[in-house]
Amino acid sequence: MNPLGIHAAVWVGGWSPEQTRHALAKSAETGYDLIELTANDPAAIDTDLVRDLLRQHGLRAAASLGLTFDADVNNEDPEVVRRGLVTLHGALDLVHAVGGEHLVGALHTTLGKYPAPATARARANSVAAIRELSERAAELGVRIGVEVVNRYETNLFNTVAGALDFLDEVGHPNALVHLDTYHANIEEGDFERPVRLAADRLGYVHVGESHRGYLGSGTVDWPRFYRALVDAGYTGPITFESFSSAVVDPNLSNTLAVWRDLWDDGDALARHAHRHVQDGLRSARA
Ligand code: MN
């Protein structure tokens, strides 16, 4: 059975002790097995507190981030790449410190609109960085997932096919595909082929609706996607990701262009999404 996860942005926009307690308690209360932490600023997170709360609530953890233009491994400048690696290793340390199993997201790139295609040298730097990160993560028992994000959020690759080419260059078994339905809706031809292509190299899944609101209220072909996951024998995490201006993370909200209220009640949203994924998988297995 897949662990069902929920992104912390459904609950909180920061990591004060109160926000941390709220996010973990609500994730468990609404039935989830895993919480995805935002790892852009690991220093903001009290890892001892998170570790204790995870144990208390019986939750697992993953962490995600997107790099930024001033600290980006997808860059020609060695100094910018070095800062990107500092960010990645800081996030890996965070996952390890809380006992998490997955570090995912835009680890290979800035999460943002590039003004031009990736250069060969920038790509080689990103490949080398993900290889280095994957090696160290393997020693710590953490899996790496490079998220396939849309063209406005990276210039490196925007499809699973592109991610697999990139991972072939990385050449490390601990580096896997992180597939997100929100991005797939923009870039892929359908919701089955990318899952089939990734096959056993699929390491992490984000379920997000085409407008990042309530699952089932947009244009994602859920029955086909859930069926593809079941047919592929995917057993990794399936994490619900949704953003609304009701919850503001000062970094993330602007990066992801969260300008409107798609919901204001995270509790109702989370319960609905949990049911949606459970029912979808059950139907697909039947
Ligand atoms: Mn995502």
Side-chain angles (χ1 to χ4, degrees):
M1 287 296 163
N2 307 87
L4 300 194
I6 186 160
H7 192 285
V10 170
W11 308 120
V12 295
W15 294 102
S16 72
E18 295 71 28
Q19 288 170 313
T20 302
R21 285 195 192 89
H22 179 70
L24 275 85
K26 292 302 288 184
S27 299
E29 186 191 316
T30 50
Y32 288 89
D33 310 303
L34 176 152
I35 182 168
E36 185 176 312
L37 311 167
T38 44
N40 270 76
D41 183 13
I45 298 184
D46 180 340
T47 52
D48 290 340
L49 177 61
V50 170
R51 202 187 169 93
D52 287 348
L53 290 169
L54 287 170
R55 195 175 301 131
Q56 191 182 311
H57 292 296
L59 283 170
R60 297 156 77 161
S64 63
L65 63 84
L67 294 176
T68 53
F69 284 115
D70 62 330
D72 186 6
V73 297
N74 175 25
N75 195 288
E76 295 199 345
D77 182 341
E79 181 53 27
V80 176
V81 172
R82 191 194 61 78
R83 290 199 293 266
L85 274 165
V86 168
T87 302
L88 293 177
H89 284 290
L92 178 56
D93 289 342
L94 166 75
V95 178
H96 181 56
V98 302
E101 296 150 285
H102 296 268
L103 176 60
V104 299
L107 308 175
H108 53 295
T109 179
T110 288
L111 197 61
K113 170 77 170 67
Y114 285 78
T119 64
R121 191 187 300 171
R123 181 183 175 96
N125 286 341
S126 178
V127 164
I130 294 302
R131 186 183 303 130
E132 175 188 319
L133 183 71
S134 300
E135 281 166 7
R136 186 161 164 262
E139 291 164 14
L140 300 177
V142 175
R143 291 185 160 199
I144 297 301
V146 292
E147 184 167 12
V148 185
V149 299
N150 74 74
R151 67 191 71 185
Y152 307 108
E153 300 186 23
T154 187
N155 61 358
L156 266 182
F157 54 81
N158 308 116
T159 61
V160 165
L164 291 172
D165 289 342
F166 180 87
L167 290 176
D168 283 344
E169 291 171 44
V170 170
H172 196 285
N174 194 40
L176 299 162
V177 175
H178 168 187
L179 176 61
D180 179 320
T181 52
Y182 162 80
H183 298 290
N185 178 65
I186 298 170
E187 302 291 356
E188 306 280 3
D190 63 55
F191 292 92
E192 180 186 340
R193 190 166 169 272
V195 175
R196 245 201 278 171
L197 264 183
D200 58 357
R201 297 166 83 187
L202 186 59
Y204 200 83
V205 168
H206 271 165
V207 285
E209 191 45 275
S210 52
H211 47 44
R212 300 200 116 149
Y214 268 76
L215 298 184
S217 68
T219 61
V220 170
D221 185 348
W222 294 108
R224 198 164 180 195
F225 181 67
Y226 290 133
R227 175 63 63 84
L229 289 180
V230 168
D231 287 350
Y234 176 69
T235 56
I238 300 176
T239 296
F240 173 54
E241 189 174 51
S242 181
F243 303 95
S244 169
S245 52
V247 174
V248 178
D249 178 321
N251 298 314
L252 207 54
S253 295
N254 294 343
T255 301
L256 298 177
V258 181
W259 312 135
R260 62 189 163 116
D261 271 313
L262 280 149
W263 44 264
D264 52 21
D265 182 351
D267 187 282
L269 174 87
R271 290 178 195 277
H272 175 273
H274 192 277
R275 251 192 331 271
H276 189 276
V277 178
Q278 266 196 328
D279 291 352
L281 290 173
R282 193 177 302 127
S283 301
R285 288 192 190 105

